[in-house]
């Protein structure tokens, strides 16, 4: 199987590569630890997010909080859009 060729538009996402804490809803939710890294030789950006013991989540999320999560971002050359799965 051949290695995918990264589209040059993906370079726009270079600023996302790294690790940081994210907050939502005006600092009511978080921190959520996020790591972004290139995958498949730069053809996709993978984002991994997880909560820690210090993370504050809305009570209604209860035991159904959507963590950990993994998201892949690629570029659709036909539409000219970034796509996330």
């Amino acid at each position: 199987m051949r290695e995918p060729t990264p589209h040059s538009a993906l370079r726009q996402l270079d600023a996302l590569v790294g690790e940081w804490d994210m907050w939502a809803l005006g600092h009511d939710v978080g921190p959520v630890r996020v790591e972004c890294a290139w995958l498949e030789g730069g053809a996709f950006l993978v984002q991994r997010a997880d909560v820690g013991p210090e993370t504050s989540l809305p009570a209604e999320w209860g035991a159904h909080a959507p963590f950990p999560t993994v998201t892949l971002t690629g570029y659709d050359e036909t539409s000219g859009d970034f796509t996330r799965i």
Side-chain angles (χ1 to χ4, degrees), residues 44-79:
F44 301 97
L45 185 71
V46 61
Q47 174 185 308
R48 294 179 178 89
D50 204 356
V51 297
E54 73 285 354
T55 303
S56 173
L57 298 173
E60 57 270 16
W61 287 15
H64 303 290
F67 296 102
T69 63
V70 176
T71 305
L72 293 176
T73 302
Y75 185 75
D76 182 346
E77 194 171 306
T78 303
S79 69

Side-chain angles (χ1 to χ4, degrees), residues 1-74:
M1 192 158 136
R2 65 185 184 134
E3 185 80 11
T5 303
H7 193 280
S8 61
L10 288 162
R11 299 288 62 87
Q12 297 175 61
L13 305 179
D14 277 339
L16 299 175
V17 174
E19 294 183 35
W20 63 90
D21 289 331
M22 278 184 15
W23 293 82
L25 298 176
H27 274 72
D28 291 339
V29 176
V32 175
R33 190 67 182 163
V34 175
E35 174 194 356
C36 288
W38 290 113
L39 189 66
E40 296 290 328
F44 301 97
L45 185 71
V46 61
Q47 174 185 308
R48 294 179 178 89
D50 204 356
V51 297
E54 73 285 354
T55 303
S56 173
L57 298 173
E60 57 270 16
W61 287 15
H64 303 290
F67 296 102
T69 63
V70 176
T71 305
L72 293 176
T73 302

